[in-house]
Amino acid sequence: MKKRFVILRGFLAVSLCMMLPSVALAADWDVSTSDDVAEAYTNDTDATVNIFMMDSIAMDSMLYGNAGQGYTINGKGYVISDLILSGAGSTTVNADVED
């Protein structure tokens, strides 16, 4: 009985560790200004950063992506202009964002 408990506990620990990256390593940001977008790029250390535009945004600074991070910019019907990306990582701007 004790051996089964140890095996079950080990299985549970491994299962939780495998689920951790999909739960804890993603961040969602609601942004409405260029400063909000820049903050999502520079201050977030999660592997996946989802940026949801709440308004049209004219960028006034260059965005530097971090190595190992993936950024997605979403914004149904909103316009993001003067977007300059640099650094590492990857950025996807979805089809609903204009410009």
Side-chain angles (χ1 to χ4, degrees), residues 80-96:
I80 188 165
S81 58
D82 301 323
L83 179 64
I84 301 172
L85 303 171
S86 183
S90 65
T91 298
T92 301
V93 180
N94 79 18
D96 293 331

Side-chain angles (χ1 to χ4, degrees), residues 25-27 40-41 44-51 65-73 88-92:
L25 300 180
Y41 265 79
D44 201 308
T45 58
D46 291 321
T48 302
V49 180
N50 299 310
I51 299 170
N66 297 313
Q69 286 186 290
Y71 305 88
T72 302
I73 300 176
S90 65
T91 298
T92 301

Side-chain angles (χ1 to χ4, degrees), residues 6-47:
V6 171
I7 292 171
L8 182 60
R9 190 171 62 181
F11 177 75
L12 182 60
V14 170
S15 297
L16 290 175
C17 288
M18 291 176 65
M19 290 187 324
L20 184 62
S22 65
V23 175
L25 300 180
D28 293 338
W29 289 74
D30 291 337
V31 299
S32 55
T33 67
S34 61
D35 290 336
D36 294 342
V37 178
E39 185 177 348
Y41 265 79
T42 58
N43 293 337
D44 201 308
T45 58
D46 291 321

